[in-house]
Amino acid sequence: MKDMNPADIVGEYREQTLTYHDGTSRKVLVTDIETPYPEGRLIVSCTDPDGIITQCNQSFVEMSGYTREELIGMPHCILRHPDMPPAAYKDLWSTVQRGEKWQGFVKNLRKDGGYYWVKATVVPNVRQGKLVGFTSVRRKPSRRKVEECIALYPTLF
């Protein structure tokens, strides 16, 4: 996955390096600009068993700031924000790999360096007894839950 491009960033940003579960790393450029989650919209995406995006809806494209062509074929962690504790992703992956549904609140990183909060539900897709991928549906989180996460997540590093 490529480092973020300063030409794509809106506003002042800070640079951080994220290291992913597979040992790879990426330079991300982060601003303090929040994009409000639009009322009545669902963000939907599907991945293969390795978390590579195979499908996404228009809401996902709009909220992420990436084009559909940029998203398809990329790891879902392209949206990982450095404020998200690794423990959250560890819990997500261990839950869905057991074949169970995972729900949680996630701060996602946009292509422009901003962010947006979601209430995410990730469901394993099993066909004929075999895991074929995952479907993630994101909804607007309550502001109260977002504020709880803003207070909690820094304590989980």
Side-chain angles (χ1 to χ4, degrees):
M1 198 168 16
K2 293 180 182 174
D3 291 338
M4 292 178 74
N5 183 352
D8 294 329
I9 306 305
V10 176
E12 291 187 33
Y13 62 87
R14 59 190 177 282
E15 183 179 306
Q16 291 186 250
T17 300
L18 290 177
T19 301
Y20 300 100
H21 68 284
D22 63 0
T24 62
S25 61
R26 177 182 187 221
K27 195 178 305 178
V28 296
L29 309 174
V30 179
T31 73
D32 293 325
I33 301 171
E34 181 174 6
T35 298
Y37 195 104
E39 291 290 338
R41 304 277 298 269
L42 293 176
I43 297 172
V44 181
S45 60
C46 296
T47 71
D48 70 10
D50 296 322
I52 304 299
I53 300 168
T54 57
Q55 299 176 37
C56 62
N57 70 355
Q58 186 60 31
S59 294
F60 185 53
V61 170
E62 292 170 12
M63 286 302 287
S64 72
Y66 290 95
T67 66
R68 185 178 312 276
E69 292 73 24
E70 290 172 318
L71 291 167
I72 302 297
M74 293 302 295
H76 215 285
C77 61
I78 192 172
L79 303 175
R80 183 172 168 183
H81 194 285
D83 289 351
M84 284 297 298
Y89 294 106
K90 184 176 180 183
D91 181 57
L92 184 161
W93 279 104
S94 66
T95 301
V96 296
Q97 288 177 339
R98 287 192 310 266
E100 300 170 9
K101 176 176 72 174
W102 181 89
Q103 288 190 314
F105 295 90
V106 178
K107 184 178 185 179
N108 283 321
L109 178 62
R110 291 174 44 89
K111 181 180 180 180
D112 65 9
Y115 66 91
Y116 60 100
W117 283 93
V118 298
K119 179 181 180 185
T121 301
V122 182
V123 179
N125 299 325
V126 178
R127 304 286 182 270
Q128 298 177 334
K130 182 180 178 195
L131 176 68
V132 296
F134 303 98
T135 298
S136 178
V137 179
R138 280 85 79 197
R139 297 173 167 75
K140 182 176 182 172
S142 72
R143 199 66 209 171
R144 182 180 59 80
K145 281 295 192 183
V146 168
E147 295 300 327
E148 288 176 14
C149 292
I150 289 170
L152 174 66
Y153 286 176
T155 69
L156 300 177
F157 282 88

